[in-house]
Amino acid sequence: QVQLVESGGRLVQAGGSLRLSCAASGGTFSSYVMGWFRQAPGKEREFVSAITWSGDNRHYSDSVKGRFTISRDNAKNTVYLQMNSLRNEDTAVYYCVAGGGGFVSESESEYDYWGQGTQVTVSS
């Protein structure tokens, strides 16, 4: 059983930057595809980004492409989401996910493990 714990969420001004971290335990971290989803108030949860175990393949939603960067450190069992040029619409709870399928996917069903989420609030 893999446990995922997110951190780094906070209140930030529009245009600012933030880095989220997700620490994994209880499994073979390097074998999992890792990713991030988010859910804004009153909206459905949506895919943000994902990265393969090697880091060679990274995928982003159109809404964050060019502003967010996903990375991972397999030695530390941690995945990161660097968020730049933040906008009000980035306000959401951000969830870390892990999947054993071996490929990046935007589908929630491909991810077996989910963290509890961390709140990111972007103010004008």
Side-chain angles (χ1 to χ4, degrees):
Q1 188 78 5
V2 175
Q3 291 82 42
L4 304 173
V5 179
E6 304 96 334
S7 62
R10 62 175 175 85
L11 175 65
V12 62
Q13 286 193 331
S17 297
L18 202 58
R19 188 177 81 159
L20 304 182
S21 300
C22 171
S25 61
T28 306
F29 178 78
S30 61
S31 68
Y32 287 97
V33 172
M34 302 297 297
W36 295 90
F37 283 73
R38 68 185 182 184
Q39 187 166 22
K43 296 187 177 181
E44 292 188 354
R45 194 157 52 191
E46 64 174 355
F47 171 81
V48 175
S49 182
I51 184 170
T52 52
W53 69 271
S54 67
D56 289 346
N57 192 357
R58 312 179 193 205
H59 182 60
Y60 301 92
S61 67
D62 288 343
S63 61
V64 307
K65 195 174 298 182
R67 300 188 298 121
F68 291 10
T69 301
I70 191 170
S71 62
R72 65 190 294 164
D73 186 336
N74 289 339
K76 295 182 178 180
N77 289 356
T78 301
V79 63
Y80 306 97
L81 185 68
Q82 177 67 41
M83 305 185 295
N84 298 329
S85 302
L86 283 162
R87 305 168 180 169
N88 290 345
E89 53 264 38
D90 294 319
T91 294
V93 177
Y94 284 71
Y95 297 92
C96 177
V97 297
F103 53 90
V104 295
S105 171
E106 296 190 6
S107 173
E108 292 188 20
S109 63
E110 292 297 331
Y111 298 95
D112 307 299
Y113 303 101
W114 292 70
Q116 292 299 307
T118 186
Q119 176 70 48
V120 172
T121 304
V122 184
S123 65
S124 300

